[in-house]
Amino acid sequence: MAQGSPVGTIDDIFVKIQENQKGVIDEALREQRGSVGRLLSLDHAMKAWEDLLTNEPEGTLIINGRREFGRAIYLACGGHYGAAFAGLRLYLELSFAAIFFSANELKRRKWLADSYDFSWSAALNEADGVLSSDFVGAFNQSAVVDAQSYKAKAAAVYRDCSQFIHGKESSTSTIPSQLVYSQNTLEQWCKLASDAIECVQVLFFSRYGQELLPSDSGSVENTMLETIAHLPSVRKILETPRTENGQ
């Protein structure tokens, strides 16, 4: 600490930030409780996928992705909007990387050894990306048609979040320069977060739905009720009777 600096200044600064953030959270929940509550509910429901896949090689990425989604909700409610958009993009990257590496063991091992970089553009490649007809068809043929529109949705969410990370003026200028509540920014973030988790649900269903569903408990199917139950391929699974062990 520089000579002459008043004792306690650092503590005072962080206490003040904490107090400001509490006020932002209070206002955010007062104004956007429904939207935030829905995202928390969807995040909690996604634990069913996490539990189902935790022992798979890609399980750690799935767990880390969900953790980042929850952290991003907190950051968004606390007024840390730039970090919240960054966290949402990281959630997408980790989730899509998990599915990409689930079918590319060599690349996964090289990535773990820090000799391979995951590419978002490769993951969304039209020919063989994780939502392409070729990829989805290999794992869940019934989901091929339904998965197609989600390539564009995932790309749009990723791009919007990237605008904030890269300091694009048209995006960063909408974020308050101080730690205050912004209704428009939080609404925008909640919309992107809802789209992001819907894309991830489709992604997981496209990769694992044919193999792992219907589940014994039906908990995984319940994660899709609020968001993607309208898709014909998902409806087919939801209407399939569970095994006797799951009754």
Side-chain angles (χ1 to χ4, degrees):
M1 183 178 293
Q3 186 176 4
S5 297
V7 176
T9 296
I10 296 177
D11 303 80
D12 293 342
I13 289 173
F14 282 102
V15 167
K16 181 62 175 176
I17 291 173
Q18 187 177 42
E19 291 173 350
N20 288 348
Q21 180 173 282
K22 183 182 183 305
V24 174
I25 292 174
D26 289 344
E27 193 167 359
L29 295 182
R30 185 166 56 250
E31 297 290 332
Q32 302 290 334
R33 178 173 294 272
S35 297
V36 173
R38 178 176 180 272
L39 290 173
L40 287 172
S41 177
L42 290 174
D43 171 56
H44 178 73
M46 289 297 284
K47 190 176 186 300
W49 279 113
E50 180 182 304
D51 292 342
L52 196 64
L53 299 165
T54 186
N55 293 323
E56 298 297 322
E58 65 272 20
T60 299
L61 280 168
I62 290 172
I63 292 170
N64 290 345
R66 181 169 169 258
R67 180 188 63 205
E68 292 301 329
F69 186 82
R71 183 177 294 165
I73 295 175
Y74 173 76
L75 290 168
C77 288
H80 301 284
Y81 300 115
F85 284 108
L88 192 56
R89 194 182 88 156
L90 181 55
Y91 165 64
L92 280 176
E93 287 183 342
L94 291 171
S95 300
F96 276 70
I99 303 309
F100 178 82
F101 288 131
S102 76
N104 293 279
E105 178 62 13
L106 174 60
K107 291 179 179 179
R108 186 186 74 84
R109 288 176 178 267
K110 292 177 69 175
W111 178 76
L112 287 172
D114 200 23
S115 60
Y116 176 84
D117 292 329
F118 169 73
S119 167
W120 174 257
S121 60
L124 282 189
N125 186 278
E126 186 71 27
D128 58 2
V130 295
L131 287 176
S132 67
S133 298
D134 185 59
F135 187 97
V136 176
F139 295 101
N140 188 356
Q141 183 63 42
S142 66
V144 169
V145 174
D146 290 336
Q148 298 314 295
S149 64
Y150 285 88
K151 292 198 299 290
K153 179 173 283 192
V157 175
Y158 188 89
R159 182 182 185 278
D160 285 347
C161 291
S162 297
Q163 300 288 69
F164 292 91
I165 294 174
H166 298 312
K168 190 69 175 291
E169 178 64 22
S170 60
S171 296
T172 57
S173 62
T174 66
I175 298 178
S177 58
Q178 298 180 345
L179 189 61
V180 296
Y181 169 68
S182 170
Q183 178 181 344
N184 290 338
T185 307
L186 183 57
E187 286 180 348
Q188 179 187 8
W189 185 89
C190 286
K191 174 61 170 61
L192 289 177
S194 180
D195 287 346
I197 203 167
E198 184 176 338
C199 289
V200 171
Q201 286 177 325
V202 169
L203 178 69
F204 287 2
F205 174 71
S206 298
R207 171 63 178 86
Y208 304 109
Q210 186 68 42
E211 178 183 356
L212 301 177
L213 303 180
S215 62
D216 288 345
S217 66
S219 59
V220 176
E221 289 88 333
N222 288 338
T223 70
M224 302 183 286
L225 288 175
E226 188 176 348
T227 52
I228 61 172
H230 62 284
L231 300 176
S233 58
V234 175
R235 284 205 309 270
K236 181 179 178 181
I237 289 292
L238 294 177
E239 293 168 0
T240 300
R242 296 200 298 273
T243 63
E244 292 183 2
N245 291 334
Q247 296 296 327

